[in-house]
Amino acid sequence: MEESPGGPSQKKVVAVVGGGLVGALNACFFAKRGFDVELFETREDIRQAKIVRGRSINLALSHRGRQALKHVGMEEKIVSQGIPMHARMIHSLNGKQSPIPYGKKGQAKRENNRLVIYLSSYPVKLMCRVNFVFLRSDGSEEQVEADLIVGCDGAFSAIRKQFLRRSRFNYSQTYIPHGYMELTMPPINGEFAMKPNYLHIWPRNTFMMIALPNLDKTFTCTLFMPFEEFEKITTGDEVIEFFQKYFPDAIPLIGVDALKRDYFRLPAQAMVSVKCSPYHIGSKCVLMGDAAHAVVPFYGQGMNAGFEDCIVFDEIMEQFNEDFSAVLPEYTRVRVPDDHAIADLAMYNYIEMRAHVNSKWFLFRKHIDNLLHFLMPKTIIPLYTMVTFTRTRYHEAVARWHWQDRVINRGLLFSATGALLGGSFLLIKNPPDINKLLVPAEKMWSRLVALRTS
């Protein structure tokens, strides 16, 4: 920190609002830099709670998130509590299972369904059970002063609501017409009911089910489907009839009674995509994580994008010597196009997961892309590899993907055209002898007549 003429300057105070994944990690980034960090959370401290309430959701940790965790010394702590996933496992209607690898050998995502906060490693003051105006337990208001407020309070951010009061703040919120419902697949004889190192997918064109492994040997199965389809099923027998039609191999693994019971335990939940800009107000407030860019879960990048927000902000802090007046506008300039790109990709990937993986053309193109990547690893890089296993900026990955797609499709078209023209030229140059072809045909016809009359 800079020193004033009268001695060392007072540490800047950073107030992080939201103690979830991104808020907790952000607090560690700021504390590592020597700021006084106060973390505000409406829920109780889950490190001390006997029962942690809320929905369980599986999270895929990939390269971007791991790099952010590594920066604050937490990578191995978190990774050790996850399960590596090497490929998608596609379940067809007849029960056949076909793997589709994520990337090159050795590349894998790690699934983790625990909210683990290692704040004890850093001097962070955690204040739980407070709302946005920071009410004390006796009902009086507490005045909090900070040099920077960081909004990490989720898709329905209270901090972002203050941005909406300002002019020239762009904001869009989109609910997709599909909801999701979680079911549990228990262990069989103390072991996983299916192969654990895969993202299991049952693609059914307009809807799908996925299953992710947990450390307790269960699978969390998530059914994604249009709300009107959920609402058509009103009885336990209709649940079983629906699963027998679309997911027959899952029934004995989940259990008939469990399906009838758990399907009606909670209604299908909605999924929202949020885009906004700018991410900052002056030099005093900035949005990160879902508060800035909530995305639907189909690319497994929601948490990773939020974690990458932290490391991108830290890199810009380093670039501009912690001058918030320069850091915040630059963060908005750099990050907005990337976060909007991953929001769009997440929407696209739902279509790919529920429908395209059944397409022979899609599988053929996957093989072509992987082959070209193997032959030209620096020239052709599959989109999934760029997004999941590198820190290529999201919007640059999308632009490169479109370019590669055009080049490969044109190459395939030229190859097919060349093969057709080449075959036609050979036929013209060396026409077949019609008489030789007619003789075997006449013999075959004679045999058929003889068989019919015998």
Side-chain angles (χ1 to χ4, degrees):
M1 305 292 288
E2 295 180 0
E3 292 189 8
S4 62
S9 61
Q10 186 177 1
K11 286 183 179 180
K12 289 182 180 179
V13 178
V14 175
V16 178
V17 180
L21 290 165
V22 176
L25 182 61
N26 233 326
C28 296
F29 267 86
F30 282 109
K32 184 180 179 182
R33 282 193 165 272
F35 292 98
D36 277 342
V37 183
E38 297 183 352
L39 178 59
F40 298 90
E41 172 56 51
T42 57
R43 298 165 296 181
E44 62 184 321
D45 188 345
I46 67 168
R47 298 171 301 176
Q48 301 170 5
K50 293 181 181 179
I51 299 176
V52 179
R53 292 178 173 84
R55 288 176 294 172
S56 170
I57 188 165
N58 296 72
L59 302 168
L61 177 66
S62 56
H63 179 77
R64 297 172 196 269
R66 291 185 65 162
Q67 290 301 300
L69 291 170
K70 183 179 181 180
H71 193 80
V72 291
M74 295 185 189
E75 182 185 15
E76 291 307 317
K77 292 179 182 179
I78 301 297
V79 167
S80 65
Q81 300 188 48
I83 299 171
M85 295 186 297
H86 302 292
R88 296 168 174 173
M89 183 66 78
I90 308 302
H91 294 247
S92 63
L93 265 175
N94 61 12
K96 181 183 177 182
Q97 298 183 25
S98 307
I100 301 179
Y102 281 126
K104 295 185 294 186
K105 187 176 180 181
Q107 289 180 334
K109 298 193 296 182
R110 287 200 172 258
E111 179 275 324
N112 192 302
N113 71 336
R114 290 187 176 186
L115 178 62
V116 185
I117 303 177
Y118 289 98
L119 292 176
S120 55
S121 303
Y122 293 92
V124 175
K125 182 180 180 182
L126 176 60
M127 287 175 278
C128 294
R129 298 196 178 212
V130 295
N131 60 23
F132 183 62
V133 296
F134 309 130
L135 292 179
R136 290 176 177 167
S137 57
D138 61 2
S140 62
E141 291 188 12
E142 178 182 352
Q143 185 71 32
V144 176
E145 294 185 1
D147 296 283
L148 178 66
I149 297 173
V150 186
C152 301
D153 49 338
F156 305 101
S157 167
I159 299 294
R160 192 181 63 233
K161 287 179 182 178
Q162 307 307 307
F163 283 55
L164 290 170
R165 298 173 181 269
R166 302 176 65 87
S167 64
R168 299 175 64 190
F169 177 68
N170 300 304
Y171 173 75
S172 68
Q173 172 180 295
T174 304
Y175 281 96
I176 65 172
H178 297 68
Y180 73 95
M181 177 180 291
E182 290 190 344
L183 305 165
T184 300
M185 185 180 291
I188 296 179
N189 299 323
E191 295 298 328
F192 285 107
M194 303 183 295
K195 295 178 180 179
N197 299 117
Y198 295 89
L199 165 59
H200 292 264
I201 306 177
W202 289 258
R204 299 298 180 260
N205 295 319
T206 58
F207 57 91
M208 70 173 180
M209 186 170 73
I210 68 170
L212 286 164
N214 301 310
L215 293 175
D216 62 359
K217 303 297 179 71
T218 64
F219 277 90
T220 298
C221 302
T222 309
L223 176 61
F224 297 96
M225 194 162 64
F227 279 101
E228 57 265 29
E229 297 299 324
F230 278 114
E231 292 161 1
K232 288 179 183 177
I233 301 172
T234 58
T235 68
D237 289 339
E238 288 176 347
V239 174
I240 301 305
E241 183 181 344
F242 172 78
F243 269 76
Q244 284 175 339
K245 185 176 181 179
Y246 294 109
F247 312 111
D249 60 328
I251 295 176
L253 302 179
I254 298 175
V256 172
D257 293 337
L259 270 174
K260 289 182 176 181
R261 179 188 67 245
D262 294 347
Y263 187 92
F264 300 102
R265 186 174 55 182
L266 287 173
Q269 302 295 307
M271 290 173 284
V272 66
S273 179
V274 171
K275 292 180 181 179
C276 68
S277 68
Y279 287 168
H280 72 286
I281 295 176
S283 61
K284 296 297 183 182
C285 189
V286 66
L287 300 173
M288 296 192 198
D290 283 355
H293 49 81
V295 300
V296 292
F298 305 114
Y299 223 113
Q301 285 295 301
M303 175 183 65
N304 292 284
F307 282 3
E308 192 175 46
D309 287 346
C310 301
I311 195 169
V312 168
F313 193 86
D314 189 76
E315 289 166 350
I316 296 173
M317 289 268 282
E318 186 69 26
Q319 180 183 350
F320 290 95
N321 196 29
E322 300 179 0
D323 178 2
F324 292 152
S325 64
V327 169
L328 271 61
E330 178 67 6
Y331 174 74
T332 285
R333 187 192 70 81
V334 168
R335 201 62 183 153
V336 165
D338 290 332
D339 292 333
H340 288 188
I342 192 58
D344 293 337
L345 276 178
M347 290 285 197
Y348 162 80
N349 211 48
Y350 182 36
I351 301 171
E352 178 176 302
M353 291 173 72
R354 75 177 193 234
H356 290 177
V357 292
N358 286 326
S359 163
K360 291 182 179 179
W361 171 254
F362 173 82
L363 297 174
F364 170 72
R365 274 301 310 272
K366 278 283 184 185
H367 290 306
I368 293 294
D369 291 352
N370 290 333
L371 175 62
L372 292 175
H373 179 49
F374 175 77
L375 297 173
M376 300 175 287
K378 293 184 179 180
T379 305
I380 301 296
I381 307 174
L383 175 64
Y384 206 93
T385 298
M386 287 189 282
V387 170
T388 307
F389 302 113
T390 75
R391 275 197 63 200
T392 303
R393 292 183 61 183
Y394 288 126
H395 83 279
E396 291 178 356
V398 171
R400 181 165 183 162
W401 169 49
H402 288 314
W403 173 81
Q404 290 178 172
D405 207 44
R406 289 194 300 269
V407 170
I408 294 171
N409 284 339
R410 286 173 184 173
L412 291 173
L413 178 61
F414 291 152
S415 299
T417 303
L420 180 62
L421 292 174
S424 301
F425 175 78
L426 289 174
L427 284 172
I428 294 170
K429 194 75 174 176
N430 303 289
D433 189 336
I434 300 298
N435 294 325
K436 289 183 178 179
L437 292 174
L438 288 175
V439 171
E442 289 174 356
K443 288 182 178 179
M444 180 63 70
W445 177 252
S446 300
R447 289 175 184 173
L448 289 171
V449 171
L451 287 171
R452 189 173 180 180
T453 55
S454 62

